[in-house]
PDB file of all heavy atoms in Angstrom:
ATOM      1  N   ASP A 171      39.747   3.609 -46.814  1.00  0.00           N
ATOM      2  CA  ASP A 171      41.079   3.752 -46.229  1.00  0.00           C
ATOM      3  C   ASP A 171      41.055   3.306 -44.768  1.00  0.00           C
ATOM      4  O   ASP A 171      40.000   2.964 -44.225  1.00  0.00           O
ATOM      5  CB  ASP A 171      41.549   5.198 -46.339  1.00  0.00           C
ATOM      6  CG  ASP A 171      43.014   5.283 -46.759  1.00  0.00           C
ATOM      7  OD1 ASP A 171      43.798   4.398 -46.377  1.00  0.00           O
ATOM      8  OD2 ASP A 171      43.361   6.235 -47.476  1.00  0.00           O
ATOM      9  N   LEU A 172      42.226   3.323 -44.156  1.00  0.00           N
ATOM     10  CA  LEU A 172      42.319   3.009 -42.739  1.00  0.00           C
ATOM     11  C   LEU A 172      41.580   4.064 -41.929  1.00  0.00           C
ATOM     12  O   LEU A 172      41.610   5.251 -42.266  1.00  0.00           O
ATOM     13  CB  LEU A 172      43.786   2.941 -42.316  1.00  0.00           C
ATOM     14  CG  LEU A 172      44.606   1.822 -42.984  1.00  0.00           C
ATOM     15  CD1 LEU A 172      46.086   2.013 -42.695  1.00  0.00           C
ATOM     16  CD2 LEU A 172      44.137   0.458 -42.499  1.00  0.00           C
ATOM     17  N   ASN A 173      40.909   3.633 -40.888  1.00  0.00           N
ATOM     18  CA  ASN A 173      40.101   4.518 -40.067  1.00  0.00           C
ATOM     19  C   ASN A 173      40.993   5.329 -39.118  1.00  0.00           C
ATOM     20  O   ASN A 173      41.630   4.755 -38.239  1.00  0.00           O
ATOM     21  CB  ASN A 173      39.100   3.681 -39.268  1.00  0.00           C
ATOM     22  CG  ASN A 173      38.201   4.510 -38.370  1.00  0.00           C
ATOM     23  OD1 ASN A 173      38.208   5.737 -38.434  1.00  0.00           O
ATOM     24  ND2 ASN A 173      37.438   3.842 -37.524  1.00  0.00           N
ATOM     25  N   PRO A 174      41.039   6.653 -39.269  1.00  0.00           N
ATOM     26  CA  PRO A 174      41.875   7.450 -38.369  1.00  0.00           C
ATOM     27  C   PRO A 174      41.405   7.403 -36.922  1.00  0.00           C
ATOM     28  O   PRO A 174      42.154   7.764 -36.010  1.00  0.00           O
ATOM     29  CB  PRO A 174      41.773   8.867 -38.947  1.00  0.00           C
ATOM     30  CG  PRO A 174      40.508   8.875 -39.731  1.00  0.00           C
ATOM     31  CD  PRO A 174      40.356   7.495 -40.278  1.00  0.00           C
ATOM     32  N   GLY A 175      40.180   6.938 -36.690  1.00  0.00           N
ATOM     33  CA  GLY A 175      39.677   6.800 -35.332  1.00  0.00           C
ATOM     34  C   GLY A 175      40.062   5.497 -34.666  1.00  0.00           C
ATOM     35  O   GLY A 175      39.657   5.241 -33.527  1.00  0.00           O
ATOM     36  N   ALA A 176      40.845   4.666 -35.358  1.00  0.00           N
ATOM     37  CA  ALA A 176      41.213   3.358 -34.801  1.00  0.00           C
ATOM     38  C   ALA A 176      42.729   3.198 -34.679  1.00  0.00           C
ATOM     39  O   ALA A 176      43.255   2.078 -34.706  1.00  0.00           O
ATOM     40  CB  ALA A 176      40.647   2.241 -35.676  1.00  0.00           C
ATOM     41  N   VAL A 177      43.441   4.310 -34.529  1.00  0.00           N
ATOM     42  CA  VAL A 177      44.892   4.244 -34.362  1.00  0.00           C
ATOM     43  C   VAL A 177      45.250   3.414 -33.130  1.00  0.00           C
ATOM     44  O   VAL A 177      44.688   3.599 -32.047  1.00  0.00           O
ATOM     45  CB  VAL A 177      45.483   5.664 -34.238  1.00  0.00           C
ATOM     46  CG1 VAL A 177      46.917   5.615 -33.733  1.00  0.00           C
ATOM     47  CG2 VAL A 177      45.429   6.378 -35.578  1.00  0.00           C
ATOM     48  N   GLY A 178      46.182   2.484 -33.299  1.00  0.00           N
ATOM     49  CA  GLY A 178      46.671   1.664 -32.200  1.00  0.00           C
ATOM     50  C   GLY A 178      45.829   0.455 -31.877  1.00  0.00           C
ATOM     51  O   GLY A 178      46.222  -0.377 -31.055  1.00  0.00           O
ATOM     52  N   GLU A 179      44.675   0.331 -32.516  1.00  0.00           N
ATOM     53  CA  GLU A 179      43.780  -0.803 -32.252  1.00  0.00           C
ATOM     54  C   GLU A 179      44.322  -2.070 -32.913  1.00  0.00           C
ATOM     55  O   GLU A 179      44.702  -2.061 -34.083  1.00  0.00           O
ATOM     56  CB  GLU A 179      42.395  -0.475 -32.816  1.00  0.00           C
ATOM     57  CG  GLU A 179      41.360  -1.528 -32.535  1.00  0.00           C
ATOM     58  CD  GLU A 179      40.575  -1.237 -31.268  1.00  0.00           C
ATOM     59  OE1 GLU A 179      40.777  -0.172 -30.680  1.00  0.00           O
ATOM     60  OE2 GLU A 179      39.757  -2.078 -30.912  1.00  0.00           O
ATOM     61  N   GLN A 180      44.360  -3.152 -32.173  1.00  0.00           N
ATOM     62  CA  GLN A 180      44.823  -4.419 -32.730  1.00  0.00           C
ATOM     63  C   GLN A 180      43.644  -5.180 -33.327  1.00  0.00           C
ATOM     64  O   GLN A 180      42.720  -5.576 -32.615  1.00  0.00           O
ATOM     65  CB  GLN A 180      45.495  -5.281 -31.657  1.00  0.00           C
ATOM     66  CG  GLN A 180      46.049  -6.593 -32.190  1.00  0.00           C
ATOM     67  CD  GLN A 180      47.202  -6.372 -33.153  1.00  0.00           C
ATOM     68  OE1 GLN A 180      48.235  -5.818 -32.782  1.00  0.00           O
ATOM     69  NE2 GLN A 180      47.036  -6.801 -34.397  1.00  0.00           N
ATOM     70  N   PHE A 181      43.680  -5.350 -34.647  1.00  0.00           N
ATOM     71  CA  PHE A 181      42.661  -6.129 -35.337  1.00  0.00           C
ATOM     72  C   PHE A 181      43.236  -7.481 -35.744  1.00  0.00           C
ATOM     73  O   PHE A 181      44.439  -7.716 -35.639  1.00  0.00           O
ATOM     74  CB  PHE A 181      42.151  -5.368 -36.564  1.00  0.00           C
ATOM     75  CG  PHE A 181      41.439  -4.089 -36.232  1.00  0.00           C
ATOM     76  CD1 PHE A 181      42.103  -2.875 -36.264  1.00  0.00           C
ATOM     77  CD2 PHE A 181      40.102  -4.099 -35.868  1.00  0.00           C
ATOM     78  CE1 PHE A 181      41.463  -1.698 -35.943  1.00  0.00           C
ATOM     79  CE2 PHE A 181      39.445  -2.925 -35.540  1.00  0.00           C
ATOM     80  CZ  PHE A 181      40.125  -1.720 -35.578  1.00  0.00           C
ATOM     81  N   ALA A 182      42.372  -8.347 -36.221  1.00  0.00           N
ATOM     82  CA  ALA A 182      42.815  -9.692 -36.569  1.00  0.00           C
ATOM     83  C   ALA A 182      43.876  -9.688 -37.656  1.00  0.00           C
ATOM     84  O   ALA A 182      44.742 -10.568 -37.690  1.00  0.00           O
ATOM     85  CB  ALA A 182      41.609 -10.532 -37.019  1.00  0.00           C
ATOM     86  N   THR A 183      43.835  -8.702 -38.555  1.00  0.00           N
ATOM     87  CA  THR A 183      44.743  -8.727 -39.695  1.00  0.00           C
ATOM     88  C   THR A 183      45.643  -7.496 -39.808  1.00  0.00           C
ATOM     89  O   THR A 183      46.485  -7.443 -40.697  1.00  0.00           O
ATOM     90  CB  THR A 183      43.954  -8.858 -41.016  1.00  0.00           C
ATOM     91  OG1 THR A 183      43.120  -7.701 -41.180  1.00  0.00           O
ATOM     92  CG2 THR A 183      43.089 -10.100 -41.015  1.00  0.00           C
ATOM     93  N   LEU A 184      45.489  -6.516 -38.923  1.00  0.00           N
ATOM     94  CA  LEU A 184      46.290  -5.303 -39.038  1.00  0.00           C
ATOM     95  C   LEU A 184      46.280  -4.505 -37.748  1.00  0.00           C
ATOM     96  O   LEU A 184      45.428  -4.702 -36.878  1.00  0.00           O
ATOM     97  CB  LEU A 184      45.777  -4.411 -40.170  1.00  0.00           C
ATOM     98  CG  LEU A 184      44.421  -3.729 -39.928  1.00  0.00           C
ATOM     99  CD1 LEU A 184      44.515  -2.240 -40.168  1.00  0.00           C
ATOM    100  CD2 LEU A 184      43.347  -4.342 -40.796  1.00  0.00           C
ATOM    101  N   ARG A 185      47.263  -3.598 -37.655  1.00  0.00           N
ATOM    102  CA  ARG A 185      47.258  -2.566 -36.621  1.00  0.00           C
ATOM    103  C   ARG A 185      47.844  -1.304 -37.228  1.00  0.00           C
ATOM    104  O   ARG A 185      48.954  -1.310 -37.760  1.00  0.00           O
ATOM    105  CB  ARG A 185      48.076  -2.972 -35.395  1.00  0.00           C
ATOM    106  CG  ARG A 185      47.873  -1.989 -34.219  1.00  0.00           C
ATOM    107  CD  ARG A 185      48.715  -2.345 -33.015  1.00  0.00           C
ATOM    108  NE  ARG A 185      50.122  -2.070 -33.262  1.00  0.00           N
ATOM    109  CZ  ARG A 185      51.125  -2.683 -32.630  1.00  0.00           C
ATOM    110  NH1 ARG A 185      50.875  -3.629 -31.749  1.00  0.00           N
ATOM    111  NH2 ARG A 185      52.377  -2.369 -32.914  1.00  0.00           N
ATOM    112  N   TYR A 186      47.082  -0.221 -37.157  1.00  0.00           N
ATOM    113  CA  TYR A 186      47.453   1.063 -37.744  1.00  0.00           C
ATOM    114  C   TYR A 186      47.952   1.968 -36.628  1.00  0.00           C
ATOM    115  O   TYR A 186      47.176   2.607 -35.922  1.00  0.00           O
ATOM    116  CB  TYR A 186      46.215   1.643 -38.436  1.00  0.00           C
ATOM    117  CG  TYR A 186      46.331   3.022 -39.018  1.00  0.00           C
ATOM    118  CD1 TYR A 186      47.452   3.425 -39.752  1.00  0.00           C
ATOM    119  CD2 TYR A 186      45.280   3.941 -38.881  1.00  0.00           C
ATOM    120  CE1 TYR A 186      47.523   4.684 -40.300  1.00  0.00           C
ATOM    121  CE2 TYR A 186      45.335   5.204 -39.435  1.00  0.00           C
ATOM    122  CZ  TYR A 186      46.466   5.575 -40.142  1.00  0.00           C
ATOM    123  OH  TYR A 186      46.526   6.838 -40.696  1.00  0.00           O
ATOM    124  N   GLY A 187      49.269   2.005 -36.434  1.00  0.00           N
ATOM    125  CA  GLY A 187      49.853   2.850 -35.397  1.00  0.00           C
ATOM    126  C   GLY A 187      50.090   2.122 -34.095  1.00  0.00           C
ATOM    127  O   GLY A 187      49.571   1.035 -33.845  1.00  0.00           O
ATOM    128  N   GLU A 188      50.881   2.741 -33.242  1.00  0.00           N
ATOM    129  CA  GLU A 188      51.245   2.163 -31.960  1.00  0.00           C
ATOM    130  C   GLU A 188      50.132   2.394 -30.931  1.00  0.00           C
ATOM    131  O   GLU A 188      49.512   3.466 -30.920  1.00  0.00           O
ATOM    132  CB  GLU A 188      52.542   2.790 -31.446  1.00  0.00           C
ATOM    133  CG  GLU A 188      53.738   2.628 -32.381  1.00  0.00           C
ATOM    134  CD  GLU A 188      54.288   1.221 -32.386  1.00  0.00           C
ATOM    135  OE1 GLU A 188      53.749   0.368 -31.654  1.00  0.00           O
ATOM    136  OE2 GLU A 188      55.258   0.964 -33.122  1.00  0.00           O
ATOM    137  N   PRO A 189      49.880   1.437 -30.060  1.00  0.00           N
ATOM    138  CA  PRO A 189      48.867   1.639 -29.013  1.00  0.00           C
ATOM    139  C   PRO A 189      49.199   2.865 -28.157  1.00  0.00           C
ATOM    140  O   PRO A 189      50.335   3.066 -27.739  1.00  0.00           O
ATOM    141  CB  PRO A 189      48.957   0.349 -28.189  1.00  0.00           C
ATOM    142  CG  PRO A 189      49.494  -0.669 -29.144  1.00  0.00           C
ATOM    143  CD  PRO A 189      50.457   0.078 -30.029  1.00  0.00           C
ATOM    144  N   GLY A 190      48.199   3.701 -27.931  1.00  0.00           N
ATOM    145  CA  GLY A 190      48.385   4.886 -27.102  1.00  0.00           C
ATOM    146  C   GLY A 190      49.019   6.068 -27.797  1.00  0.00           C
ATOM    147  O   GLY A 190      49.158   7.133 -27.192  1.00  0.00           O
ATOM    148  N   ALA A 191      49.401   5.912 -29.075  1.00  0.00           N
ATOM    149  CA  ALA A 191      50.069   7.003 -29.788  1.00  0.00           C
ATOM    150  C   ALA A 191      49.053   7.958 -30.398  1.00  0.00           C
ATOM    151  O   ALA A 191      47.894   7.600 -30.632  1.00  0.00           O
ATOM    152  CB  ALA A 191      50.965   6.438 -30.880  1.00  0.00           C
TER     153      ALA A 191
END
Side-chain angles (χ1 to χ4, degrees):
D171 223 327
L172 296 169
N173 180 8
V177 166
E179 183 93 5
Q180 182 66 62
F181 295 96
T183 63
L184 70 128
R185 190 182 72 205
Y186 175 44
E188 301 286 359

